[in-house]
Amino acid sequence: MLNFSNNEFVLNFCSIFVLICATNYGYALFAVQNERRQLDSLDGLWTFVREPPNSVGIGLQNQWASLELALFENSSQIPVPSAFNDLTADSEQRDHVGWVWYQRKYFLSHFLRDAPPNGRRTFLRFESVNYYAFVFVNGKLVTEHCGGHLPFQVEVQLVDVNLISVAVNNTLSHDTIPPGDFATVKLSSGRELVSVVPSFDFFNYAGILRSVYLWHLPPIFIRDIQIRTDNLGSFSYRIDVDRDAHPAEDIRIHVFIFQSDGAKKIYEFFGSQNSTTFAKIDLWWPRGMGKPTLYTAEVRLESFSSVGSKYLLSDVYRETFGFRTVTVDQNRIYINGRPFYCHGFGMHEDIGIHGRGFDLAAMVKDMNMFEWLNGNCYRTSHYPYAEERAYWADRRGIAVITEVPAVGIWNFNSSELLKLHGKMIAEMVSRDRNHPSVIMWSLSNEPKMPSDSAPYEYFKNLVTLTKQLDATRPVTVVFGHASAAVKVASLLDVICVNEYFGWYSNIGIEYGAEAISGFNEQPSVPFSEQYQAELIQETGKAVDELRCSEDIAGEMLWNFADFMTAPSVSRAIGNHKGVLTRERKPKLGAYAIQKRYKTLLENNSTTSFCPAKLRAM
């Protein structure tokens, strides 16, 4: 049982959430509707109630999940998906730390209500809730989840009218990922107010950040699909079936492989796992190296029916995939055996009003501007992005380094933190392993590492886990410029370094400078658009020296677009290192990086990182 009677905020916080974070509620397959699966979106306006700051959970104590929150005097409505922070003119809501509540009703249609009792199973699915979530249906706690940015779901039993309530807490601590610290301020009234100081330089947007669904599935259904390929035509799969409702049912599995257009079936398999080698296939290539060819695996699950003594279709799921291999040596990254020079951006899922809330229009704009800037690779700094972006990258040939939310971690002696970190890696790999666009796993960004052995042992465990989950992709950690990283770096396939010539201080995956849109000075000065553009040009010359000597295998500008941070005297309403504004308007730096990346993109299919054309840049 969870105990909410402790009135001391920090102790209460820690006691509540260690239990939640120890459990894995991840789920792999992307939520789709097809001829055997019905997907009901719960996106829209939900009732919203914010508890007082530093509340010890009065909503949980008083069973708010059983009450009509719309009747509360302080209730309002809020869109889902969206962060709650930027939707009002109230600074208390923007800066709120603690509990908030979401609630809505769901009416079960008579089509589902009148279906045979064994004819469907219903799952309540959340694509992302940041950070902690307690989920209730009709007043009953049905699941909890710890950590934003990855999906979770739970099977539910519905009645005619259903009350769905979600209690969300965005408090961070030493044992959360990402971490935070507590600061206590004593007010003139004598009351102490506890605030959380995050260990990262982006705003801690919170709430139900991505879509919510009710997913109606067959009684026996396909739970997971694992696909492995390589550039020589090797193909294998493994299908996991959920047959808990009918464990004795006689089933069979067919897997059909279709060409990318879906018009031509090229192979047929039987069984829950199988493999072959195709004599002729088209490879998946990143931008500038070839066509990002995709295939479709159609998995059909059939159950034996005593009526007519034949097998009938129970479930079907279609997953796209590509044939490609990622390898590394001491100097280079290779895709399908050819050198790949990664050039692109660190990014954020951040847009005005929505915060980190998912928005399809914003995603499409981002990806189109990314291609306009001639990038071929990005990192999901500093958390896994919505899976819709991975499918887009698959189709468009954009290489992706997917990163777990472990930014600025420091508590390397904590066994609880290690368990949570491993859980998040497992959820991330499980969700994204079938995407050919995902070429690398990033286990942390700028960990704050002491000189003792604790970080080495910590990351050794995580690298081993990641390799056990997926041995086909390189593993990296992104280090800061002052990091004591030598021992940990020896564990990794690729070393990524953030350095800022001309701004903070040097080079690796990330460089850049702030430019406030509309600030123009000649000669240039820091924060002007001219300074950012000149820094990109001059840093490019230094990067070319390293690239031509094969000392680096890629570069990423920080950042793709401006993004919001916590209020600070060192931040003029957010971080302005983007070459695009937060509204995705180009600054002068955008044209400088567009020109540089155009030349790199046109030469990425060469066998040398430094052909004559690039030496003259």
Side-chain angles (χ1 to χ4, degrees), residues 43-46 48 78-88 93 100 102 128-130 168 205-212 351-359:
D43 292 356
L45 290 176
W46 289 51
F48 180 77
I78 197 168
V80 170
S82 176
F84 64 73
N85 307 84
D86 289 348
L87 298 178
T88 74
Q93 178 154 320
V100 297
Y102 291 77
S128 170
V129 180
N130 195 31
V168 181
Y205 282 113
I208 302 178
L209 299 182
R210 297 177 190 156
S211 291
V212 184
I351 197 78
I353 301 177
H354 296 264
R356 214 177 300 155
F358 180 70
D359 180 87

Side-chain angles (χ1 to χ4, degrees), residues 228-230 232-237 257 266-269 273-279 281 323:
R228 284 196 176 185
T229 67
D230 67 21
L232 300 178
S234 174
F235 172 87
S236 64
Y237 71 84
I257 307 300
I266 62 173
Y267 211 88
E268 179 178 353
F269 296 93
Q273 56 185 4
N274 214 324
S275 63
T276 192
T277 298
F278 292 94
I281 44 92
F323 288 89

Side-chain angles (χ1 to χ4, degrees), residues 307-327:
V307 179
S309 298
K310 60 182 179 180
Y311 286 90
L312 300 176
L313 182 64
S314 174
D315 191 19
V316 62
Y317 195 93
R318 298 171 182 90
E319 179 73 299
T320 55
F321 67 95
F323 288 89
R324 68 105 183 89
T325 299
V326 182
T327 55

